[in-house]
């Protein structure tokens, strides 16, 4: 962990660039830029820094996870629909070994059965699902607490 405090990489998967207009009855009307601003403010208040990246491409997300090895202390990750399909993203998380918190705006357990399956969750330290944009802030809080509790181990 650097002197500037923990560095958090926030990753958003496919279709999350359209938050605000995408199925507002499911995902609300807050835009991704607004969510990222809230995360950055919360991180700063906790003495951390947060950098955000969104991609619609599984490979680009895998590359970002690999690059985080040297550039981040922890990951906050909404993998979108890749949550339910991607062993490759779970493998990438295990490969870098960085603590990751999985977040979802909607309550994936209250939706279609296929969304109850997460390939990513077993590679994460925890999951927050169903609280809209607040899921990210709760996930950030959990991740920062986890990092300070495990500071000696890193
Ligand atoms: C989501 C839930 C996923 O099932 C869905 O495919 C998404 C968004 C969420 O944040 O609620 O794209 O990850």
């Amino acid at each position: 962990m650097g002197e500037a405090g923990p560095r958090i990489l926030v990753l958003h998967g496919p279709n999350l660039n359209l938050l605000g207009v995408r199925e507002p009855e499911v995902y609300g009307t807050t835009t991704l830029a607004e969510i990222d601003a809230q995360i950055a403010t919360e991180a700063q208040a906790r003495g951390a820094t947060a950098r955000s990246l969104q991609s619609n491409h599984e490979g680009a997300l895998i590359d970002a996870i690999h690059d985080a090895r040297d550039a981040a202390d922890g990951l906050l990750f909404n993998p979108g629909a890749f949550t339910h399909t991607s062993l490759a993203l779970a493998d990438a998380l295990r490969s870098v070994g960085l603590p990751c918190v999985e977040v979802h705006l909607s309550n994936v357990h209250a939706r279609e059965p296929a969304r109850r399956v997460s390939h990513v969750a077993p590679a994460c330290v925890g999951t927050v699902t169903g609280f809209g944009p607040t899921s990210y802030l709760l996930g950030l809080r959990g991740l920062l607490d986890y990092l300070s509790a495990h500071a000696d181990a890193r």
Side-chain angles (χ1 to χ4, degrees):
M1 229 173 275
E3 273 176 29
R7 302 158 300 169
I8 306 304
L9 177 62
V10 186
L11 285 177
H12 308 282
N15 301 307
L16 294 168
N17 53 311
L18 293 182
L19 283 180
V21 293
R22 173 195 182 197
E23 299 180 86
E25 66 286 1
V26 178
Y27 298 114
T29 53
T30 309
T31 66
L32 192 62
E34 289 166 343
I35 289 174
D36 281 338
Q38 287 179 21
I39 296 168
T41 302
E42 185 71 20
Q44 206 176 13
R46 290 275 314 244
T49 52
R51 189 169 66 83
S52 298
L53 187 152
Q54 187 276 332
S55 178
N56 295 319
H57 305 280
E58 190 175 15
L61 293 166
I62 292 169
D63 288 342
I65 292 168
H66 291 183
D67 292 346
R69 264 182 89 211
D70 299 319
D73 300 300
L75 301 168
L76 194 60
F77 191 14
N78 184 346
F82 291 148
T83 306
H84 320 298
T85 61
S86 181
L87 287 174
L89 283 170
D91 283 349
L93 293 173
R94 290 193 187 94
S95 299
V96 301
L98 287 171
C100 178
V101 173
E102 175 188 352
V103 299
H104 299 285
L105 295 149
S106 64
N107 179 359
V108 289
H109 299 291
R111 300 182 63 191
E112 307 96 302
R115 291 187 204 271
R116 291 184 204 140
V117 175
S118 172
H119 290 294
V120 173
C124 291
V125 297
T127 299
V128 182
T129 186
F131 297 99
T134 304
S135 289
Y136 285 93
L137 303 178
L138 294 170
L140 176 67
R141 184 175 167 186
L143 180 59
L144 293 175
D145 285 357
Y146 179 94
L147 286 171
S148 55
H150 295 80
D152 294 344
R154 297 191 60 79

